[in-house]
Amino acid sequence: MKIAVFSDTHGSSRGMINAVREYCPDQVIHLGDGMSDTEALKRRFPTIPVCTVPGNCDYDSTDSEYKVITIGGIKAFITHGHRYAVRGGRLDTLLYAAQCCGAQIAMFGHTHRACFEQIEGIFALNPGTAGQGKMRTWAKLEIGPTGEVHCEICDI
């Protein structure tokens, strides 16, 4: 399964739309701060499911600040990250929340810094920012048929 993961678009959907057009994912995940940017994506690619969570700049959202979803047969804990103190570089609270939900992967944004690493048996993925700054990035996440996880951080 191919998943395109974005965060922190902050009003800029063009890079996200171009990435989806090129990658042709089975699913899109947006990790907040620009949830409304996914509306343009949904109009252009109506057959691709889009899952979102709000960020600290998505003021009018009533959605849950985190979700536990199943993608490609594995559980993923998705959140923006601002409630888990990720900006300071510590991921222990985020990873604990993912572990409590039985998730194998924790996805977050907020820091505008991309990363993908395995920590204490849980994959931590931040696609970076797809909308601001000179280092605009997103993540190509692939879940294999037996649950293997592969990720590539890509430039926009």
Side-chain angles (χ1 to χ4, degrees):
M1 177 174 206
K2 293 170 35 174
I3 304 108
V5 185
F6 302 94
S7 188
D8 297 278
T9 49
H10 292 284
S12 178
S13 61
R14 185 174 49 188
M16 185 170 51
I17 289 168
N18 291 340
V20 168
R21 181 181 300 119
E22 185 178 307
Y23 185 47
C24 301
D26 301 304
Q27 165 109 32
V28 171
I29 295 174
H30 189 287
L31 300 170
D33 279 3
M35 279 179 59
S36 61
D37 300 333
T38 63
E39 293 306 316
L41 193 69
K42 291 174 188 177
R43 283 192 301 276
R44 290 186 189 235
F45 307 100
T47 61
I48 300 174
V50 177
C51 183
T52 61
V53 290
N56 57 301
C57 294
D58 294 312
Y59 305 113
D60 58 351
S61 176
T62 58
D63 282 3
S64 175
E65 290 186 356
Y66 76 89
K67 293 178 183 169
V68 179
I69 62 172
T70 301
I71 50 173
I74 68 167
K75 277 189 180 180
F77 180 84
I78 64 171
T79 187
H80 184 61
H82 61 294
R83 300 280 187 219
Y84 298 89
V86 298
R87 184 154 296 194
R90 293 189 54 197
L91 301 181
D92 53 338
T93 305
L94 173 76
L95 295 172
Y96 180 72
Q99 182 183 35
C100 288
C101 294
Q104 292 86 14
I105 186 165
M107 295 184 220
F108 66 103
H110 191 57
T111 67
H112 293 206
R113 290 186 311 271
C115 73
F116 179 71
E117 58 186 310
Q118 190 172 24
I119 305 168
E120 298 179 21
I122 297 176
F123 291 101
L125 168 60
N126 183 331
T129 176
Q132 290 185 341
K134 53 187 171 182
M135 296 288 296
R136 296 181 318 135
T137 57
W138 65 286
K140 288 181 181 179
L141 180 65
E142 296 191 14
I143 311 296
T146 58
E148 63 273 14
V149 176
H150 302 279
C151 183
E152 178 184 354
I153 304 296
C154 303
D155 292 331
I156 288 186

